[in-house]
Amino acid sequence: NETFKLMEQLANIALRQLLDNEGFLENKSLPKSSRPLKNISALKRDLDARAKNERYRATFRLPKDECLDGHTDCTLWTPFAKMHIPGQMFVSNNYICFASKEGDACHLIIPLREVTIVEKADSSSVLPSPLSISTKSKMTFLFANLRDRNFLVQRISDFLQRTSAKKSNEDCAVGKQKAEWKISSGDPGCEGILNVSSSSPSRTISNQLENFCSGDAPTALQGLLKLFPQNSPGDLGPKGAKEKMKEESWNIHFFEYGRGMCMYRTAKTRELVLKGIPENLRGELWLLFSGAWNEMVTHPRYYTDLVEKSMGKYNLVTEEIERDLHRSMPEHPAFHNDLGMAALRRVLTAYAFRNPNIGYCQAMNIVTSVLLLYCNEEEAFWLLVALCERMLPDYYNSRVVGALVDQGVFEELTRVYLPQLSEKMQDLGVISTISLSWFLTLFLSVMPFESAVIVVDCFFYEGIKLILQVSLAVLDANMEQLLKCSDEGEAMTVLGRYLDNVVNKQSVSPPIPHLHALLTSGDEPPPEIDIFDLIKASYEKFSSLSANHIEQMRFKQRLKVIQSLEDTAKRSVVRAISTDLGFSMDELEELYVVFKAQHLMSCYWGNSRTTAIRHDPSLPYLEQYRIDLEQFKELFAHLTPWACGQHTPVLAERLFRLLDKNRDSLINFKEFVTGIGGMYHGDLTEKLKFLYRLHLPPALSPEEAESALEATNFFPEDMTPEVTPSTSELDLFLHCESPETAGQKQQSGTGHGNSQEKKEEKGNSPPDYKYYLQMWAKQKETKKETIKDLPKMNQEQFIELCKTFYNMFSEDPLEQELYHAIATVASLLLRIGEVGKKFSSMSIKKTENSKPELAKDPESDDDEELSHNSEHSQDAEQQFFQHGSGTAHPRNIQEGNQNLEEERDIQETGSPIQLLSDDETKDDLSMSSYSMVSTGSLQCEDIADDTVLVGCEGNSSPRYGSSIDSDWSISFEQILASMLTEAALVNYFEKKVDINEKIKQQKKVERQISSSSDYELSSVSG
C-alpha cells in the first residue's frame, strides 16, 4: 500500500509537470540521496510533504507559493459557542490556520500580516499550554492543549519577523508608513502597540487605479451594478425588504463571528451563503471565500503595472478578447457602454499577460463580466486568478484539461448516485456535451443570470463540490424524461428547458432576457424551479460528496484524460504524415512514442538542451516535439538497419544535416520518419539513392569534402517547396510564379523565343487567373525524380561513400563476401571515373581550340588512358582497401587484387556496363520517385591520410593524401550498374528488416535510463 501511494504521488507530480511545466519548475526539486535505489525514505518524506502542502493550500484557499511549516493538535476557544473545539493548528510562512476535527464546526485563517501580539498565557489544569494571538481588527484567538508551545511560539516569531521585514520593504516601495510588530512571550502586561482598523474588503475600496486609465474610457473603481443601478430603492417592495433582512443577518454574523479574513467560518456561515448573499456584500464575500483577497493585498500595484504593460500591445490573444467582448452578457446594461467594455478588456488582457500559458480561453469573458458587476477591476482580476489557477485548475487552456477531468468525475458520480440513468446518458452522449458548458461558465451560460449568480455564491464557498452536486440534482430532477429520450438532441432540449426555468424569486434586479430560453421555449412552458430549492435538494441528496474524495477521483481521471489527449494527438500526427513513407500506421505510432519520449527526456532532465529551451507548448504537435543532433544520434544508433560500428555517429550526423532543412538544429517527427524510412523501404535503387545523397552537400560538410562545388548546384536557392499536408494553400499560392516571371525563367533557361512573346502578351493584359490555377495544380503534382536528376559525385565524395560501404558490412554474417564484392565494384568505378575524366578533358579542348583535327576516337582514348593508368590504378585500389580493412582480412585483399586484374582486362576490351547508354540504363532498372535531400558527412578512422586514392593521369606519379582529382567524377547510374553486377550487394540491400524489433530495443534502453539515478539521467540527457 505504501509503495502504491508513492507511485501515485510520483504519477501526480509527472502529470502536473506535463500540464504546467513552467509553474512546476518553481518547486520541482526532489531530495538527492547517495543511494537512491536502496533508500527511498528521503523521497517519500518529500512526496508526503508535497501532498500535505497541496491539501493545506486547497483547504484554506491560500496562494500557490505558500508552504506548510508544520501542524499540531490543539483546541480553539470559540466565543460564539462558548466552548473549546478540538482540531489542528497549521503554521506556514504567512498564515496560521485552524481546522476542527468535525469538518463544519470551525475553520479559521489568520494572516501573519494581521497579527499584532503572540502571547503565552498561564497554564492551568482547565486550560493547559494556552497561546493567545491578537490581530489588528481587535480580535483575540485563544489556542490551548499545545504539545510544544515554546517551539511553536519561536517558529511564529521567526515568521513574523520575516513578514515584518517584507511588509516594510513593500511599504517603502509604495511610500507608506512602516508597520511595527510586537511579539510577547509570557508577559501578561504586554499589549499591541498598533491600533489598526479592520482590513475587511468591505471597508477598503481600491484606490490603486485612480490615475491609471489614460484612455477615453474611465476606470471602474467599484462594481458596475453600483454604477448602473437598475432599480431605485423605493421600487424594491417586498424583495427589497427581503434583501435588507439578508444584510442584517450577515451583519449579526459579522458581529458574532468576526469580519474579514479572520472571521470564524462555521456551519452558520454556510447556511447564510446557501440562503443567498446580498448584492452589496457579494463582492466582499467572494474575495474572502476564494482567497483572492490575500493575493490582492500582498501584491499592491500588481494589476496596475500589468495593465500599463499590456496597453497598446496587440497579438492573437488580444484579437480573440476583442472578438468576444460584445458576446459577454450583451443583454446587461452595464456592458452597453465604453466603461463596462473597457473594464472587461483590461481585466482579460491583464490576465493574459500574467499567465501566457493560458492567455485567453472562451468562457473567461462570461465569468469575468459577472465578476465586474460586483467588484472593481482589481478585485475582479484577482478573483479571475483564483478561479483559473486554484479553484478550477487547468480549466481555461487550449485543451480544457481540467474541465475534461471533472467531466470524467461527473460521469463516475453519475454511475454511483444515479446508476439507472448512467447507462442511458452514456448511450446518448449527453454528459460530455452538457458538462463543459455547465462547468466552464459555472451555469452562467445555461441559467438565467439572477439564478446562476446564486450558484456562483455557493461555488466560491464550497468549490467544485457544489457544481457537481447541482449537476447531479439537475439530472435527478429530469430522470424520467431523460430515460424516454431517443437521441442526444432530445435530451439536450429537456435539460435546456429545465435550466431556463430555474428562477430566483428573491432577486432585487429585474430579470435579464436569456437567449437560450428564447430558443428552447415551447408551447407549454415547464413549471418554474426555485434556485434555492434546487441547491437545497443537491445538499439533501448528494451531501456525502467530500473535497478529498473529489481530489482522488480527479487524479484517476487526470491520468485517463491525459492519455486520451495524447492518443488523439498521436493519431492526428500520424495521419498528417504522408502515407508514402512506407511505414504502417502501427509502426508510425510506435515511432512517435519513441520520438516523443526522447523529446520529453530533454525537457525534464536536460533543461540546458536546445529542445528544452525552445520547447513551445502552443505549437501544433507535429512541430512541438523536436529533437536535436545528440538525441537523433541515439535514436539512429538503435533504429538503423545498417550496423556501421564507430562510423554510425558520423552517418547519423550527415542524415541529421540532410533532414534539418531550416537549419535550426532541430528536426520534427515527420523529418525524423522521412530519414528512417529511407533506410528501411524501397528497393536497391532507392536505398542507394539514399546513401548517394548522404555523400553530397549539404549532407557532406565542407570540413569533410573540400571540393563539392558541382554537387551544390543540385540544391538551388529558389528550390520549389515540397508540398506537404501541412502546407497551407496561401503558401502554395505565394510560391507560384507569376506569368511574367515564368516567361523570364523559360527564356533564360531554354532560349526559346516564344517565351518572350508570351511575356509581352501578358505584360499589358489583366491577370490570367487560369494561369495561376494551372501553376497551383503543378505545385501540387508530385514531381517524379529519375536517377538522371542526381548530380555527379566527385572523387572525394566517392571515397567517403566507399568508407561508408566498408563500415556497413563489418558486422554482417557474409562479411567476407561483401568485402570482396565492394572491392570489385570500387575498383571498377575508379577506372570508370578516369575514363570519364578523359572524355571531359577532350570536350574542353575541343571548345577551347575549335580545331576538328584534335578530336580523337573515344575508344582509342579509353584504351590510351587505361594503358597509362592501369598500373597506378591497381596500386591505388589495393592500398585503399588494405588501409580500409586493416590486417584482419588478408584473404580479401588477395581476392580483391585478383579481381582487379580481371576487371582491368574487362576495361581494356570494353566493359558492357560502359556500353549501356543512359536511356537504356534508365529503362532497364525499376526506379521509384522516392526523393530526399542530403545530410552530414562521414569520417573513417581506419583509412589513413597517406592512402592512395586513385590512379594517376598520363605518365605522372600517383597522387596521395589530400591530392584529390577535381576533374574526376562518377554518376549515380554508373554506381548502380556496377552494384547490380554483385549478387551479394544486391541481396544485402534488398533484405527486409523489421523495425518493430529495433523499437522494442530502444524502449528497453529508455526504461533503463528512467530507472537510473538522478546523476545518471543528467549525464545521459546532457
Side-chain angles (χ1 to χ4, degrees):
N1 189 31
E2 184 175 309
T3 303
F4 179 78
K5 287 183 178 179
L6 188 67
M7 294 172 63
E8 241 185 2
Q9 290 171 329
L10 287 172
N12 197 21
I13 289 176
L15 289 174
R16 294 291 179 85
Q17 187 172 5
L18 186 64
L19 292 173
D20 185 14
N21 194 36
E22 291 186 8
F24 187 84
L25 290 177
E26 299 175 0
N27 187 28
K28 77 163 194 174
S29 59
L30 292 174
K32 296 183 180 179
S33 176
S34 58
R35 291 180 296 177
L37 299 180
K38 297 181 180 180
N39 182 10
I40 62 169
S41 60
L43 176 63
K44 184 178 184 305
R45 220 170 25 246
D46 182 81
L47 293 175
D48 288 341
R50 286 173 181 268
K52 289 180 180 179
N53 264 324
E54 291 179 3
R55 286 196 298 270
Y56 171 63
R57 290 191 291 263
T59 301
F60 300 103
R61 308 279 171 80
L62 301 178
K64 292 195 299 182
D65 57 350
E66 194 66 21
C67 295
L68 178 64
D69 184 70
H71 58 90
T72 182
D73 292 334
C74 67
T75 59
L76 172 66
W77 171 255
T78 53
F80 52 88
K82 302 295 189 292
M83 61 181 295
H84 288 274
I85 298 179
Q88 280 191 323
M89 174 191 285
F90 301 85
V91 179
S92 58
N93 46 349
N94 292 297
Y95 297 90
I96 299 173
C97 300
F98 174 85
S100 59
K101 290 185 178 180
E102 295 181 8
D104 294 339
C106 182
H107 272 208
L108 181 65
I109 303 172
I110 308 174
L112 293 183
R113 63 178 182 271
E114 298 289 327
V115 175
T116 56
I117 298 176
V118 177
E119 180 181 8
K120 291 189 293 186
D122 294 333
S123 297
S124 66
S125 58
V126 180
L127 199 62
S129 302
L131 179 67
S132 173
I133 299 177
S134 300
T135 65
K136 298 177 182 179
S137 56
K138 302 298 183 182
M139 295 182 70
T140 300
F141 305 96
L142 183 62
F143 299 90
N145 294 285
L146 295 164
R147 293 181 181 177
D148 195 347
R149 183 177 60 168
N150 293 332
F151 176 77
L152 180 63
V153 170
Q154 183 60 44
R155 293 300 295 164
I156 296 175
S157 175
D158 294 340
F159 286 131
L160 281 173
Q161 290 178 0
R162 298 176 195 173
T163 305
S164 177
K166 182 179 178 181
K167 180 67 176 176
S168 298
N169 293 334
E170 291 177 355
D171 289 345
C172 290
V174 298
K176 294 182 178 180
Q177 184 180 3
K178 292 185 178 181
E180 297 180 2
W181 307 87
K182 182 166 183 177
I183 303 171
S184 173
S185 298
D187 184 1
C190 291
E191 297 178 357
I193 61 174
L194 287 182
N195 185 8
V196 185
S197 61
S198 171
S199 61
S200 167
S202 64
R203 303 184 184 183
T204 305
I205 301 297
S206 174
N207 57 1
Q208 301 291 341
L209 302 174
E210 291 180 356
N211 300 320
F212 145 72
C213 185
S214 58
D216 296 333
T219 303
L221 296 178
Q222 52 185 327
L224 295 178
L225 276 184
K226 295 180 180 178
L227 300 176
F228 300 94
Q230 296 179 275
N231 283 324
S232 60
D235 298 335
L236 296 179
K239 292 184 178 180
K242 181 73 173 178
E243 186 77 2
K244 289 185 179 297
M245 289 177 61
K246 287 183 182 180
E247 290 184 12
E248 187 61 28
S249 298
W250 276 99
N251 289 329
I252 295 173
H253 184 272
F254 291 148
F255 179 79
E256 294 181 358
Y257 297 86
R259 189 167 189 172
M261 285 305 303
C262 299
M263 176 177 64
Y264 293 96
R265 307 178 191 202
T266 66
K268 179 66 174 176
T269 311
R270 175 187 282 112
E271 290 178 11
L272 289 177
V273 172
L274 297 183
K275 291 178 180 178
I277 298 177
E279 290 192 349
N280 290 336
L281 299 175
R282 187 161 275 146
E284 171 190 350
L285 295 176
W286 284 0
L287 287 166
L288 290 179
F289 296 149
S290 66
W293 176 253
N294 286 322
E295 293 185 282
M296 185 173 70
V297 297
T298 54
H299 295 82
R301 289 195 56 84
Y302 180 86
Y303 173 70
T304 307
D305 294 339
L306 265 183
V307 178
E308 290 175 350
K309 291 178 183 178
S310 62
M311 287 184 68
K313 304 286 181 65
Y314 298 98
N315 50 37
L316 291 177
V317 174
T318 57
E319 289 181 8
E320 291 181 18
I321 292 173
E322 204 65 35
R323 217 170 25 240
D324 287 349
L325 283 180
H326 297 280
R327 306 173 189 170
S328 309
M329 296 191 68
E331 65 279 0
H332 200 284
F335 297 97
H336 293 170
N337 55 81
D338 291 340
L339 176 61
M341 300 298 289
L344 181 59
R345 180 186 295 111
R346 283 191 292 268
V347 173
L348 292 174
T349 306
Y351 184 78
F353 273 77
R354 166 189 167 84
N355 192 343
N357 287 335
I358 293 179
Y360 170 76
C361 176
Q362 286 188 348
M364 288 175 65
N365 60 319
I366 297 175
V367 175
T368 307
S369 60
V370 175
L371 300 179
L372 282 169
L373 291 177
Y374 301 99
C375 308
N376 64 40
E377 283 187 32
E378 186 179 19
E379 293 167 347
F381 169 80
W382 287 110
L383 277 171
L384 185 62
V385 169
L387 195 70
C388 296
E389 299 176 12
R390 289 188 286 106
M391 301 191 72
L392 296 177
D394 307 314
Y395 261 59
Y396 301 101
N397 54 35
S398 58
R399 299 187 292 177
V400 292
V401 175
L404 293 175
V405 168
D406 285 344
Q407 172 185 306
V409 173
F410 182 47
E411 291 179 359
E412 190 172 346
L413 291 174
T414 305
R415 287 193 293 270
V416 174
Y417 290 99
L418 304 172
Q420 64 273 36
L421 185 60
S422 175
E423 186 175 351
K424 181 70 174 181
M425 297 294 286
Q426 290 292 335
D427 294 339
L428 296 177
V430 175
I431 290 183
S432 59
T433 305
I434 61 176
S435 54
L436 287 181
S437 60
W438 292 3
F439 297 165
L440 281 172
T441 64
L442 306 177
F443 286 94
L444 288 166
S445 63
V446 294
M447 273 188 190
F449 167 73
E450 57 274 7
S451 302
V453 77
I454 303 299
V455 177
V456 178
D457 289 344
C458 302
F459 166 75
F460 277 122
Y461 188 83
E462 291 281 17
I464 191 62
K465 171 179 178 289
L466 183 278
I467 301 297
L468 294 171
Q469 283 183 185
V470 172
S471 301
L472 289 171
V474 171
L475 294 184
D476 182 63
N478 294 273
M479 182 180 300
E480 293 183 7
Q481 290 179 281
L482 290 173
L483 290 174
K484 297 177 183 178
C485 293
S486 57
D487 55 35
E488 179 185 1
E490 188 177 354
M492 292 296 296
T493 301
V494 169
L495 293 173
R497 296 185 66 183
Y498 177 86
L499 292 172
D500 290 338
N501 289 274
V502 176
V503 297
N504 179 8
K505 299 178 180 179
Q506 301 178 13
S507 176
V508 295
S509 301
I512 299 174
H514 193 225
L515 179 61
H516 193 258
L518 298 177
L519 295 176
T520 60
S521 59
D523 297 334
E524 297 180 4
E528 293 182 342
I529 303 96
D530 191 277
I531 181 62
F532 297 102
D533 294 339
L534 178 62
I535 292 176
K536 182 180 179 181
S538 72
Y539 273 93
E540 290 175 349
K541 295 182 179 181
F542 311 108
S543 59
S544 59
L545 272 177
S546 65
N548 290 335
H549 185 210
I550 292 174
E551 283 304 316
Q552 291 175 1
M553 297 173 69
R554 273 179 165 179
F555 169 69
K556 287 192 252 183
Q557 293 298 328
R558 195 176 289 119
L559 286 171
K560 295 179 182 178
V561 169
I562 293 296
Q563 186 62 50
S564 175
L565 290 173
E566 292 301 317
D567 289 344
T568 302
K570 177 174 65 177
R571 289 191 293 268
S572 300
V573 170
V574 169
R575 282 196 299 265
I577 293 178
S578 180
T579 56
D580 60 357
L581 295 176
F583 292 112
S584 66
M585 295 292 286
D586 292 338
E587 289 173 339
L588 286 174
E589 289 185 0
E590 290 296 324
L591 284 172
Y592 177 83
V593 171
V594 171
F595 183 87
K596 178 185 171 186
Q598 194 70 234
H599 166 85
L600 293 179
M601 285 178 63
S602 68
C603 289
Y604 300 149
W605 290 300
N607 291 317
S608 60
R609 301 188 73 122
T610 307
T611 47
I613 297 173
R614 293 162 61 179
H615 176 68
D616 186 359
S618 63
L619 291 174
Y621 283 103
L622 185 58
E623 294 294 334
Q624 185 179 141
Y625 299 140
R626 297 180 292 177
I627 59 175
D628 59 18
L629 175 59
E630 294 304 318
Q631 293 170 305
F632 178 76
K633 284 182 179 180
E634 182 179 342
L635 289 179
F636 182 88
H638 290 94
L639 298 178
T640 179
W642 301 327
C644 297
Q646 296 181 353
H647 200 60
T648 302
V650 181
L651 197 62
E653 187 173 349
R654 291 184 179 178
L655 180 55
F656 185 86
R657 274 200 297 270
L658 177 67
L659 300 174
D660 185 20
K661 296 180 182 179
N662 59 357
R663 300 295 179 264
D664 63 349
S665 301
L666 296 172
I667 62 171
N668 60 29
F669 178 64
K670 182 177 182 181
E671 295 167 336
F672 169 75
V673 173
T674 302
I676 298 298
M679 297 183 288
Y680 276 91
H681 303 295
D683 54 11
L684 169 68
T685 305
E686 297 302 322
K687 292 177 180 177
L688 284 179
K689 284 166 67 177
F690 178 82
L691 284 170
Y692 189 84
R693 285 193 178 88
L694 289 182
H695 298 82
L696 296 174
L700 204 65
S701 66
E703 294 79 7
E704 294 173 308
E706 298 176 357
S707 55
L709 296 178
E710 180 183 359
T712 55
N713 297 328
F714 182 61
F715 304 95
E717 296 180 359
D718 56 349
M719 189 173 183
T720 304
E722 180 185 359
V723 179
T724 65
S726 60
T727 306
S728 67
E729 296 180 353
L730 180 60
D731 293 333
L732 292 173
F733 186 80
L734 293 177
H735 280 94
C736 289
E737 298 175 342
S738 65
E740 295 82 355
T741 307
Q744 292 173 358
K745 290 187 176 181
Q746 185 178 4
Q747 182 184 15
S748 59
T750 61
H752 294 299
N754 58 359
S755 61
Q756 180 64 26
E757 296 175 2
K758 184 177 180 181
K759 173 186 173 183
E760 293 175 357
E761 290 176 1
K762 291 184 175 290
N764 298 323
S765 62
D768 187 357
Y769 295 105
K770 291 183 179 180
Y771 180 82
Y772 286 109
L773 293 174
Q774 292 173 357
M775 292 297 298
W776 195 353
K778 288 181 181 179
Q779 291 281 1
K780 288 190 173 182
E781 290 179 1
T782 303
K783 183 181 178 182
K784 293 185 178 180
E785 184 190 50
T786 65
I787 57 176
K788 287 196 171 210
D789 297 327
L790 294 172
K792 289 188 175 182
M793 181 177 282
N794 64 26
Q795 192 177 81
E796 187 170 7
Q797 294 162 356
F798 176 71
I799 295 301
E800 293 294 330
L801 179 62
C802 290
K803 294 177 186 178
T804 301
F805 282 133
Y806 159 74
N807 285 278
M808 286 173 63
F809 308 142
S810 61
E811 299 179 14
D812 195 272
L814 302 176
E815 182 180 2
Q816 299 293 333
E817 185 178 353
L818 290 169
Y819 279 141
H820 176 73
I822 196 61
T824 302
V825 171
S827 62
L828 177 59
L829 290 171
L830 284 169
R831 295 176 182 181
I832 292 175
E834 290 295 332
V835 175
K837 183 182 70 173
K838 188 65 178 177
F839 280 130
S840 176
S841 61
M842 286 182 56
S843 62
I844 294 175
K845 289 179 181 179
K846 284 183 181 182
T847 305
E848 291 177 351
N849 301 329
S850 300
K851 296 180 180 180
E853 61 271 20
L854 293 179
K856 297 182 180 181
D857 182 48
E859 293 185 2
S860 63
D861 289 337
D862 294 351
D863 296 338
E864 180 181 356
E865 177 66 21
L866 289 174
S867 64
H868 280 298
N869 296 321
S870 60
E871 182 178 353
H872 294 300
S873 297
Q874 181 178 353
D875 295 339
E877 293 150 6
Q878 180 176 350
Q879 188 168 355
F880 172 82
F881 287 101
Q882 181 177 0
H883 282 278
S885 59
T887 59
H889 309 287
R891 188 168 61 86
N892 281 356
I893 301 173
Q894 295 175 2
E895 295 177 356
N897 291 341
Q898 182 181 356
N899 191 68
L900 293 181
E901 294 292 338
E902 296 174 358
E903 294 296 335
R904 183 171 58 168
D905 295 338
I906 294 175
Q907 289 292 334
E908 291 174 354
T909 58
S911 172
I913 298 176
Q914 296 179 15
L915 299 178
L916 289 174
S917 66
D918 292 342
D919 292 335
E920 290 171 341
T921 306
K922 176 181 176 183
D923 294 338
D924 292 342
L925 302 176
S926 174
M927 310 297 176
S928 70
S929 59
Y930 181 87
S931 80
M932 287 190 57
V933 195
S934 50
T935 64
S937 62
L938 298 178
Q939 296 175 349
C940 184
E941 302 296 337
D942 297 331
I943 299 179
D945 291 336
D946 59 350
T947 301
V948 178
L949 298 175
V950 293
C952 59
E953 181 180 0
N955 296 323
S956 61
S957 60
R959 288 171 290 186
Y960 296 85
S962 60
S963 302
I964 301 299
D965 192 343
S966 59
D967 296 330
W968 189 96
S969 65
I970 198 78
S971 69
F972 175 76
E973 295 167 286
Q974 293 166 330
I975 294 176
L976 176 61
S978 301
M979 297 283 281
L980 288 172
T981 62
E982 296 293 333
L985 295 175
V986 174
N987 293 335
Y988 178 84
F989 285 103
E990 293 285 355
K991 180 175 57 179
K992 301 295 182 183
V993 182
D994 186 8
I995 194 173
N996 291 312
E997 293 299 323
K998 301 283 186 179
I999 294 175
K1000 289 179 182 178
Q1001 293 298 323
Q1002 171 62 19
K1003 289 184 176 179
K1004 287 182 181 178
V1005 173
E1006 291 173 1
R1007 284 195 291 270
Q1008 292 172 1
I1009 293 176
S1010 62
S1011 61
S1012 302
S1013 65
D1014 202 12
Y1015 171 78
E1016 289 169 340
L1017 283 172
S1018 61
S1019 64
V1020 170
S1021 302

